[in-house]
Amino acid sequence: MPQAPAGSGPRRRTLLAAAALTPLALAGCSSQDPSGNAARGPQAAAKDALVMVVRHAEKPYAGDLGEDEDGNEDPGSLAGRGRRRAEELHRLFPPAGGSALPRPAVVFAAAGPAGAGGRPPARCRQTVEPLTTALHIPLRSEFGIGAEEALGRAVLAARMPVLVCWEHTGIPRLIHALGAHQVLGVPASWPDRYDLVWEFTRRQGRWTFRELAQHLLPGDA
């Protein structure tokens, strides 16, 4: 009976099958998006985002205590100019469009640290309440100063675009929580101004930044 040629038989069929499956296994281990481009790690899966950040409006200066909603003097409330800015904030988002800024779908405002008498300063909430009322959009204020990590997660999970009104000392921590702190042009701290909007846009895992002036009140730069 003749012998089978060397390399034939069950062992050869097993080797050929393994060789045929190797490219499929390698393809399954590579990370590619539907366009065929290799994924760039966790950021590649991040959804697009548009986050606008403003500082609360003007606070009381020396000799001015500000007023709460009932007209009582309150150091944790906005000054008169700050209340005027809050009333004009909706002009940044006109109903007919054409604005440089998109209308937010949700607004976050800082609850703030405990102030005099154990009550939190209300300046952030007071700044955006007229806006949310005018635009009929939800206002969320469950996060306080110091909780920027949790705030950042909530912002990125929210419906876009998002507007955040925050205390200036906590804004850099919020930017870091968003993952946008290394973007070219982002200042290390918020300047001594109340008339700015910082806009952060994430497209395909990459953040961009621009700064816009509000131009809402006389004297705004």
Side-chain angles (χ1 to χ4, degrees):
M1 180 177 181
Q3 292 184 341
S8 65
R11 182 173 181 273
R12 177 176 175 81
R13 288 195 295 272
T14 301
L15 291 174
L16 289 174
L21 291 173
T22 298
L24 296 176
L26 293 176
C29 293
S30 64
S31 297
Q32 292 193 339
D33 61 26
S35 65
N37 297 322
R40 298 188 301 271
Q43 282 293 339
K47 73 172 185 178
D48 290 350
L50 198 159
V51 182
M52 297 165 285
V53 182
V54 296
R55 181 183 183 179
H56 62 71
E58 284 84 346
K59 63 183 179 180
Y61 292 95
D64 179 12
L65 289 178
E67 292 185 355
D68 62 16
E69 289 82 353
D70 299 321
N72 301 315
E73 290 187 346
D74 178 16
S77 292
L78 295 175
R81 181 177 174 85
R83 288 195 172 275
R84 291 193 295 274
R85 183 176 304 282
E87 294 294 336
E88 297 293 331
L89 203 61
H90 68 93
R91 289 172 46 206
L92 294 175
F93 314 99
S99 169
L101 294 167
R103 280 194 158 201
V106 61
V107 177
F108 289 82
R119 296 188 301 108
R123 289 188 286 265
C124 290
R125 176 178 52 79
Q126 290 172 345
T127 298
V128 294
E129 272 186 336
L131 171 69
T132 57
T133 299
L135 300 187
H136 306 288
I137 53 180
L139 172 59
R140 295 180 55 178
S141 57
E142 68 264 37
F143 300 101
I145 305 301
E148 287 81 13
E149 285 291 334
L151 170 66
R153 291 191 296 270
V155 165
L156 293 177
R159 181 183 174 192
M160 298 292 162
V162 171
L163 175 67
V164 180
C165 182
W166 212 249
E167 295 277 351
H168 74 284
T169 56
I171 290 177
R173 295 192 296 270
L174 169 60
I175 306 308
H176 193 280
L178 295 175
H181 55 292
Q182 294 182 331
V183 175
L184 183 66
V186 177
S189 60
W190 189 274
D192 188 20
R193 292 175 60 178
Y194 298 91
D195 60 342
L196 295 175
V197 181
W198 284 4
E199 183 186 74
F200 297 87
T201 304
R202 185 170 67 187
R203 295 287 183 269
Q204 297 181 340
R206 293 181 178 274
W207 285 102
T208 58
F209 165 77
R210 65 173 180 161
E211 177 180 278
L212 300 95
Q214 295 181 8
H215 297 302
L216 294 177
L217 299 178
D220 280 2

